[in-house]
Structure formats: C-alpha cells, structure tokens
Amino acid sequence: MGFLDSILGGRKKLASANADRLFAMATAQVTLEASLGMKSRGAAAIVFQQIASADFKQILTDSEELIKSAATDTGTALTQSDDEYGYRWMLFHDDDFEDLVTAVNTVVSELQAGGYGDRVLAAVFAWQDSDGKPVDFIYNFKRGRFYPFAPQPGKQRDNEYELRLKAQIENDLPIEPELDRWFPLWDAPID
C-alpha cells in the first residue's frame, strides 16, 4: 500500500467534495496574507489515482483543454507528472490565487461529473510564511477538510507551527480535527 493510499483511510467511496469547502481556500487568502503575513507561492496541485480507461483519459484531456483555453484570460499554466507510486499530479501555476482555486475546482468537478470523483485524493495549495519557509495547505477530498503542512529539511515537519496555523485559520477553513489524519505529502511536485 502506497503512502497516498493511507489518505483513503480504508474508505472506498468518496463523499462528494463540497465546492464551498474547497473555495474556502480563496476566502482564507485574506487572513493568510493580511493577518499572518503569508504569501502564495503561485502554485497548486491535485493528485489522483489514474484508471486505464478511454473515458477517464478523455476527461483528463477535456479538463486540460478547458484549463488551457481559460489560460488566455487567467494566465494559469498546467503541467502534469506521475510520481513514483503511479499517482498523477496536475500542477497549476498562476500569480492570481483565486485562479488557482478555480482551476483545481474545474478539474475536480470534471472528474466528479464523469463518475471518477473517488479517484481524487488531495489538493495542495503552496504558501510561504513571512520568512520564506514553505507551508502547504492540503485538502483531503476523502475527509472534506484542510490541514497545514510545514515541511522542514530532512523530511521533518514543524508540528508546533502547524498547530499555531490551525488555531489562526480554523475560522476561515474547515480544518481536519483529527491530527493523525494530517498526512505529510513529502516530495509533492508543487514547485
């Protein structure tokens, strides 16, 4: 079982992702920037399990074309990569944070509409604190909640900082209450 499989928590059926919860990230931007001095790194991603079916591949192609056609207005760039466990990452880059949230929601909505919403594992929104240290806000689709992830060199994490962020942002974001569900996404190809 791969690490990202643990995010599934043994559940096979995805509760429909609540778009309002995902879009809470866009409204939390104000608190993150104004109150906490954080800044978006201009990147977001979704990670999902692929299926070798023509229908699934067509949904991905359609989603990619939709994002690329909107890029003339938004400037959102899309790239894709597969990790060592065979999960597909769709990576979005844009200086406008709301465009990143919209791009993530667009692809997820397409997958859900095609009946593949249960394949989506997580969304990652890349931020940095006022000292330039990376902080990712991860949205676990299986749980419908966010949690902060503050990676440190040597595959360490700053748990104390993550807990402070939880306390500071939980009025703006639906935060995962069970800390043992705050899975680190080491080596996510987010930057």
Side-chain angles (χ1 to χ4, degrees):
M1 177 165 89
F3 172 75
L4 289 176
D5 287 328
S6 66
I7 289 178
L8 294 173
R11 293 171 52 195
K12 296 294 181 195
K13 180 102 169 125
L14 170 69
S16 180
N18 184 333
D20 291 342
R21 287 184 176 218
L22 188 58
F23 277 111
M25 191 73 236
T27 58
Q29 175 187 13
V30 174
T31 301
L32 291 169
E33 291 176 347
S35 299
L36 303 179
M38 298 180 79
K39 181 180 175 189
S40 169
R41 297 192 328 255
I46 62 169
V47 59
F48 53 88
Q49 296 172 311
Q50 298 185 81
I51 297 176
S53 76
D55 183 46
F56 186 78
K57 289 178 184 177
Q58 188 60 50
I59 290 171
L60 293 181
T61 299
D62 292 346
S63 296
E64 185 175 3
E65 289 174 7
L66 187 61
I67 298 294
K68 286 182 178 179
S69 69
T72 57
D73 294 329
T74 64
T76 305
L78 167 67
T79 58
Q80 298 184 55
S81 69
D82 295 332
D83 66 20
E84 64 185 285
Y85 303 106
Y87 293 99
R88 169 66 51 100
W89 290 82
M90 290 186 108
L91 310 156
F92 308 95
H93 292 83
D94 196 314
D95 291 333
D96 185 327
F97 186 73
E98 288 185 24
D99 289 346
L100 291 172
V101 177
T102 301
V104 167
N105 187 64
T106 297
V107 174
V108 170
S109 295
E110 290 292 313
L111 289 167
Q112 288 176 330
Y116 296 106
D118 63 336
R119 305 312 257 169
V120 183
L121 301 174
V124 182
F125 296 93
W127 287 80
Q128 65 186 21
D129 69 11
S130 58
D131 295 326
K133 295 177 190 164
V135 177
D136 295 333
F137 284 89
I138 300 170
Y139 182 75
N140 182 332
F141 281 93
K142 307 302 178 198
R143 305 278 296 172
R145 300 199 179 268
F146 287 91
Y147 58 93
F149 172 52
Q152 301 279 305
K155 291 202 176 183
Q156 299 293 314
R157 61 194 292 188
D158 189 341
N159 296 109
E160 182 181 325
Y161 184 46
E162 292 172 356
L163 291 172
R164 275 197 324 267
L165 284 172
K166 172 192 179 290
Q168 294 169 319
I169 199 76
E170 65 188 348
N171 290 332
D172 297 289
L173 282 178
I175 297 291
E176 172 59 56
E178 297 179 36
L179 300 181
D180 60 342
R181 300 250 183 209
W182 289 22
F183 303 110
L185 291 181
W186 300 114
D187 304 321
I190 192 80
D191 291 318

